Amino acid sequence: MKNYFSIQDIDSLSDWVYEAIEMKKNPLLDKTLGQDKTIGLLFFNPSLRTRLSTQKAALNLGMNVIVMNFAGEGWSLEYGDGTVMDQGHSEHVKEAAQVVSQYCDVLAIRAFAKLENREEDYSEKVVKNFIRYATIPVVNMESATGHPLQALTDAITIAEHKKTDKPKVVLSWAPHPKALPQAVANSFVEMMQRMDAHFVITHPVGFELANQITKEVPIDYNQKNAFRDADFIYVKNWSAYHEYGKTLQNDFTWKITEEKMKLTNDAKFMHCLPVRRNVVVDDAVIDSKNSIVIEQANNRTYAAQLVLKKILKNK
Ligand code: SN0
């Protein structure tokens, strides 16, 4: 594998999930694989789990890690072809990507959706241009439209916790004070279409995700109905896709409560974090024994480590 841009780069999901679970049992098995190799992590946005788990994954493989916060510290980058660069942008991605490629063996990038222009975000301007001009493999650490490391983590976590071969998994929208990207939800939806699961999405009218991603996945506009008999409740806020980047109405009746969790089949509660307590989910749910968010975050390391291992082995 050269780049890990989206979950389409996973050739055999069941093999990957199995390998990640094996790797978790003995994370230092390949501790010399990345010896004398360097990964560079570029962040255009904040991070806790992605930054530390990807570093941890690289360290487990014996790699060196260099990290740069691009937001505020890097030059403001230009992405257009043939632009007369007499405005605010100081450096073209063409040079930036080639230069970084000389310092590193693998490059990982986080660049969130700006939520201003749907076409621009869905063209994946930042990460795709880095892939275009870099001469080394590129890993997506949440781009404008996807978060494939999170989705791989979620597949691993569901595989570890499922009690039946085909669990019922519900992706539920929840309220949030800010407009958030669709990236996590998009990649989760794509992942659930590849997993053996009864998958349902529930959200208020107007929060439909891109049809090219949701395809035939059933949408239930009645959250309580969707929750019935669920084995996993995966919660995420996202802003509207059609009225792009808008929060529309922030319906607080969509918060995840103990009462709603009682409708489920003793479902596990999942969230990629960070989460706004008592806005997205009540303390009573996230602090309950059914909440697996901390273990889910732990699995970020093994998802990243598996991806890096495959890139290092060029398989
Ligand atoms: C990001 C998102 O894409 O929704 C990253 C999730 C992994 N989340 C946020 O930006 C939350 C910010 C906040 O203020 O709650």
Side-chain angles (χ1 to χ4, degrees):
M1 183 176 63
K2 174 125 200 295
N3 305 307
Y4 187 64
F5 173 69
S6 81
I7 75 152
Q8 312 312 329
D9 295 312
I10 299 174
D11 49 11
S12 165
L13 180 61
S14 54
D15 288 348
W16 281 45
V17 168
Y18 174 78
E19 285 173 51
I21 292 172
E22 287 301 302
M23 180 176 256
K24 188 174 176 178
K25 293 178 193 155
N26 194 352
L28 297 178
L29 198 64
D30 299 299
K31 67 180 180 207
T32 57
L33 182 66
Q35 205 174 358
D36 302 323
K37 303 265 194 225
T38 299
I39 184 168
L41 313 181
L42 300 186
F43 286 92
F44 291 86
N45 310 94
S47 174
L48 170 69
R49 279 148 293 277
T50 298
R51 178 164 169 172
L52 296 183
S53 66
T54 309
Q55 285 201 38
K56 178 74 180 172
L59 293 172
N60 283 349
L61 294 167
M63 299 181 86
N64 300 311
V65 186
I66 52 183
V67 185
M68 180 166 180
N69 266 326
F70 230 85
E73 292 180 36
W75 298 110
S76 169
L77 295 184
E78 171 63 42
Y79 296 89
D81 283 329
T83 307
V84 178
M85 288 171 56
D86 60 356
Q87 300 294 314
H89 301 310
S90 311
E91 174 158 29
H92 202 282
V93 64
K94 207 166 180 173
E95 284 78 52
Q98 291 183 82
V99 168
V100 173
S101 297
Q102 299 178 113
Y103 306 149
C104 302
D105 301 282
V106 182
L107 182 60
I109 302 173
R110 162 162 285 192
F112 287 178
K114 291 214 166 75
L115 298 177
E116 287 157 9
N117 179 323
R118 184 170 66 199
E119 281 62 46
E120 190 173 300
D121 284 343
Y122 276 72
S123 77
E124 290 286 9
K125 189 179 77 170
V126 178
V127 177
K128 285 226 167 128
N129 273 298
F130 269 96
I131 289 174
R132 180 172 170 199
Y133 294 116
T135 55
I136 57 175
V138 174
V139 175
N140 179 349
M141 296 194 295
E142 187 173 339
S143 64
T145 71
H147 196 352
L149 285 174
Q150 183 65 51
L152 178 56
T153 300
D154 301 333
I156 296 165
T157 310
I158 290 173
E160 285 179 325
H161 284 273
K162 68 180 186 183
K163 293 184 195 133
T164 52
D165 286 343
K166 200 167 174 173
K168 179 172 175 185
V169 180
V170 178
L171 169 64
S172 179
W173 182 92
H176 198 283
K178 271 169 54 180
L180 296 186
Q182 294 115 30
V184 171
N186 284 346
S187 292
F188 187 73
V189 169
E190 289 178 326
M191 183 56 90
M192 287 308 109
Q193 289 173 86
R194 289 185 64 174
M195 274 190 95
D196 214 5
H198 290 289
F199 181 50
V200 178
I201 309 175
T202 182
H203 57 69
V205 173
F207 285 98
E208 291 75 14
L209 293 161
N211 193 251
Q212 66 269 25
I213 290 169
T214 54
K215 297 184 178 122
E216 307 300 315
V217 176
I219 297 169
D220 193 336
Y221 295 105
N222 182 327
Q223 191 188 35
K224 287 187 177 163
N225 203 35
F227 272 38
R228 278 182 219 290
D229 302 322
D231 298 298
F232 294 90
I233 300 292
Y234 191 100
V235 180
K236 184 71 187 82
N237 170 269
W238 61 87
S239 58
Y241 172 79
H242 293 284
E243 281 196 61
Y244 193 65
K246 299 272 186 306
T247 44
L248 308 172
Q249 29 83 341
N250 217 351
D251 189 344
F252 292 102
T253 65
W254 279 73
K255 181 177 67 170
I256 312 303
T257 62
E258 244 184 331
E259 188 198 5
K260 287 179 197 169
M261 291 299 286
K262 283 194 184 123
L263 300 169
T264 70
N265 179 29
D266 200 27
K268 302 293 184 200
F269 170 80
M270 297 178 72
H271 191 286
C272 65
L273 306 179
V275 69
R276 304 287 189 123
R277 279 174 175 260
N278 303 309
V279 177
V280 170
V281 55
D282 276 344
D283 284 341
V285 175
I286 191 170
D287 293 330
S288 74
K289 66 168 182 29
N290 283 20
S291 168
I292 54 172
V293 296
I294 304 301
E295 196 174 341
Q296 189 184 350
N298 189 37
N299 284 338
R300 292 294 310 272
T301 299
Y302 309 106
Q305 193 171 332
L306 185 69
V307 166
L308 295 181
K309 180 177 165 179
K310 289 190 181 285
I311 286 174
L312 289 170
K313 288 195 156 179
N314 198 16
K315 269 200 191 147

